């Protein structure tokens, strides 16, 4: 990947990764996280949003033994080490699922749907998974 | 305008790849530049040369390959997504001790960094898929 790192050409853009799906059942959440980890090497302005079932991706206490899926949730705690610290959860999605901020593995900022829309509007590149 | 395209779904199951192809073709015909087409998730399956659709239907792989040849398009399959799903070029097949490769002409396999670079370099990154 070292070649890639040089190819950004010094530009810094605002990247928002929108996570909309449950962590298991489909591969989107896992492969989204893989993009975020690679992207961290590019020194861009990175934010993550969790909406809809995506809020389940960062819920504490995930246990995947019964389904033989890889539990990748500890990786979200490593994001801080990659300077990925702007994590946003949509309030409506969180509340509709009976969750509170205390249920999450990582510190998050809770935004209303309207605030989330403003956040998306302010970005250069929005990747939705 | 300089555009980049992200294809997130496989061929035939979803129309996303068809729409991405039509979009890319139309953009090129209008004189826009396509910086790169990046295939992720099941989208990597668009790049297998082993697909054999019925003869009265479109051949999605061949269509991409021909467009790439005509316009010198950069078609990139994500290596991590490709390996999971059994998409290999010659060197990857050799490296992993597999007896064959299946990547189609006009496609290449590379890292996710190529997607990020496309996002940085292009004026717009357009996603196709759910």
């Amino acid at each position: 990947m070292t070649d890639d790192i040089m190819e950004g050409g010094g530009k810094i853009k605002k990247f928002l990764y929108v996570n909309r799906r449950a962590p298991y059942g489909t591969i989107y959440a896992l492969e989204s996280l893989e993009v975020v980890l690679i992207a961290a090497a590019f020194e861009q302005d990175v934010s993550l949003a969790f909406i809809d079932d995506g809020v389940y991706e960062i819920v504490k206490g995930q246990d995947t033994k019964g389904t033989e899926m890889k539990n990748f949730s500890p990786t979200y705690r490593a994001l801080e080490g990659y300077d990925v610290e702007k994590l946003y959860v949509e309030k409506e999605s969180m509340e509709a699922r009976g969750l509170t901020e205390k249920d999450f593995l990582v510190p998050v900022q809770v935004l209303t749907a309207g605030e989330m829309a403003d956040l998306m509007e302010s970005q250069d590149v929005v990747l939705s998974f | 305008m300089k555009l980049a395209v992200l294809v997130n779904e496989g061929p035939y199951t979803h129309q996303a790849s068809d729409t991405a192809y039509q979009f890319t073709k139309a953009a090129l015909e209008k004189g826009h530049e396509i910086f790169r087409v990046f295939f992720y998730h099941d989208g990597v399956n668009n790049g297998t040369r082993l697909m054999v659709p019925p003869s009265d239907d479109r051949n999605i792989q061949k269509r991409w390959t021909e467009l790439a040849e005509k316009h010198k398009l950069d078609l990139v399959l994500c290596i991590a997504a490709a390996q999971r799903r059994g998409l290999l070029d010659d060197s990857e097949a050799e490296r992993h001790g597999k007896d064959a490769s299946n990547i189609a002409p006009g496609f290449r396999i590379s890292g996710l960094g190529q997607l990020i670079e496309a996002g940085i370099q292009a004026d717009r990154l357009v996603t196709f898929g759910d």
Side-chain angles (χ1 to χ4, degrees), chain A residues 105-120:
Chain A
L105 286 156
V106 282
V108 299
Q109 193 178 335
V110 177
L111 302 180
T112 64
E115 290 166 337
M116 193 63 89
D118 292 340
L119 176 71
M120 289 180 182

Side-chain angles (χ1 to χ4, degrees), chain B residues 44-101:
Chain B
V44 297
N45 291 311
N46 289 287
T48 174
R49 62 183 165 78
L50 299 183
M51 67 171 68
V52 189
S55 58
D56 61 351
D57 197 357
R58 69 225 188 276
N59 185 315
I60 289 177
Q61 171 264 308
K62 214 170 251 176
R63 222 167 46 175
W64 278 116
T65 295
E66 285 166 5
L67 196 66
E69 278 170 7
K70 192 174 170 194
H71 297 278
K72 295 194 170 58
L73 268 185
D74 189 20
L75 306 181
V76 179
L77 308 182
C78 166
I79 187 163
Q83 286 183 346
R84 281 195 180 102
R85 294 165 176 87
L87 264 289
L88 299 170
D89 60 14
D90 287 343
S91 68
E92 286 301 303
E94 197 184 331
R95 194 156 73 91
H96 296 285
K98 300 293 183 184
D99 61 3
S101 67

Side-chain angles (χ1 to χ4, degrees), chain A residues 24-41:
Chain A
Y24 312 102
T26 66
I27 200 167
Y28 297 101
L30 171 62
E31 288 193 332
S32 169
L33 189 55
E34 289 185 349
V35 178
V36 173
L37 293 173
I38 294 291

Side-chain angles (χ1 to χ4, degrees), chain A residues 3-43:
Chain A
D3 286 351
D4 293 335
I5 293 166
M6 307 312 292
E7 289 168 17
K11 274 189 215 173
I12 296 181
K13 282 192 175 180
K14 288 184 169 181
F15 278 72
L16 174 68
Y17 298 90
V18 183
N19 299 281
R20 297 175 291 135
R21 293 179 172 93
Y24 312 102
T26 66
I27 200 167
Y28 297 101
L30 171 62
E31 288 193 332
S32 169
L33 189 55
E34 289 185 349
V35 178
V36 173
L37 293 173
I38 294 291
F42 284 75
E43 296 180 352

Side-chain angles (χ1 to χ4, degrees), chain A residues 45-66:
Chain A
D45 182 348
V46 173
S47 303
L48 269 64
F50 298 88
I51 64 172
D52 299 340
D53 278 350
V55 297
Y56 288 126
E57 292 179 23
I58 49 170
V59 160
K60 283 179 194 162
Q62 297 181 26
D63 179 0
T64 59
K65 284 195 193 78

